[in-house]
Amino acid sequence: MTPSLRPGQKICDHAGCRKAGEHRAPKDKSLSDYYWFCADHARAYNQKWDFYQGLTDYEMEKEIRRSLIGDRPSWPLGSWQAAERLLRRKAWQDWREDSTGDGGYSGPERPMTAAERVEAEALAVLELAPPVTFAFIRARYKELVKKHHPDTNGGSREAEERLKIINQAYTTLKTIHLPQTD
Ligand SMILES: [Zn+2]
């Protein structure tokens, strides 16, 4: 049953909940977008985030790696801004799954497939998060190649290694987005 809502009042954003969404909860650190929850679901959502809020960026990034791709350290530290968005998307999915109990998703969010995870990981190396067009990926790749090229970094070994990882990620993304090319 839908309870009576005041004009302009939102329904709780939690899947299946029909209570009034009177409590605002930020979707991410930018605080530019919000969910609206009833009191119970606002409390549950906040508890979920407390864990991540206590972490430093470095710890957060380690958590992201574990959460998305296991312990395999395959992307360089420092690209965590894009990865953070992935983590938040995944944690949001987990939380909805936990609290609805049926594993069903009524909203636009759904779990990533293995292929999407590969893509998300490669995008994170380029400090991007899906969805992005290939034109955008290529532009970012060119930018990063310029930035990390050993010639512009005094022949730095670290820059060379970083560039190698960026090249691998770009090759992966090219295969995904342009499967017919060589
Ligand atoms: Zn609710």
Side-chain angles (χ1 to χ4, degrees):
M1 288 297 290
T2 306
S4 53
L5 298 174
R6 290 193 301 276
Q9 195 169 39
K10 294 166 185 294
I11 292 178
C12 176
D13 278 329
H14 181 70
C17 180
R18 309 298 298 169
K19 291 185 192 165
E22 296 177 309
H23 299 267
R24 209 165 66 147
K27 286 190 180 182
D28 58 45
K29 270 188 187 165
S30 72
L31 306 183
S32 58
D33 204 3
Y34 294 89
Y35 295 116
W36 290 87
F37 293 121
C38 68
D40 287 347
H41 287 133
R43 198 178 310 118
Y45 182 77
N46 289 335
Q47 274 169 4
K48 180 90 187 174
W49 284 122
D50 279 348
F51 172 70
Y52 295 110
Q53 271 153 13
L55 299 179
T56 63
D57 290 354
Y58 178 78
E59 289 167 333
M60 170 98 83
E61 186 166 341
K62 282 204 297 192
E63 194 57 40
I64 292 164
R65 292 165 187 270
R66 221 186 343 268
S67 151
L68 288 175
I69 56 169
D71 280 320
R72 189 165 50 97
S74 59
W75 82 58
L77 286 166
S79 58
W80 77 277
Q81 290 97 334
E84 186 200 8
R85 290 198 289 276
L86 297 174
L87 173 68
R88 287 180 181 277
R89 174 175 158 177
K90 184 180 182 300
W92 167 240
Q93 289 162 356
D94 289 350
W95 178 72
R96 283 167 70 103
E97 194 168 18
D98 287 351
S99 42
T100 55
D102 59 4
Y105 298 90
S106 62
E109 304 283 5
R110 57 177 174 75
M112 277 190 265
T113 64
E116 282 171 334
R117 220 160 31 229
V118 168
E119 182 182 6
E121 188 189 341
L123 285 172
V125 172
L126 304 186
E127 299 170 40
L128 297 171
V132 288
T133 63
F134 187 70
F136 196 81
I137 292 168
R138 188 165 44 208
R140 172 59 66 102
Y141 171 69
K142 283 181 180 169
E143 210 175 289
L144 288 173
V145 166
K146 214 177 286 176
K147 186 175 159 194
H148 294 287
H149 199 280
D151 288 353
T152 53
N153 290 276
S156 155
R157 179 101 186 99
E158 201 184 318
E160 198 183 321
E161 283 304 311
R162 181 71 196 257
L163 191 60
K164 210 181 287 174
I165 294 165
I166 290 166
N167 281 330
Q168 282 166 358
Y170 184 66
T171 302
T172 301
L173 291 166
K174 222 161 46 177
T175 311
I176 292 166
H177 287 265
L178 307 171
Q180 71 277 34
T181 316
D182 53 58

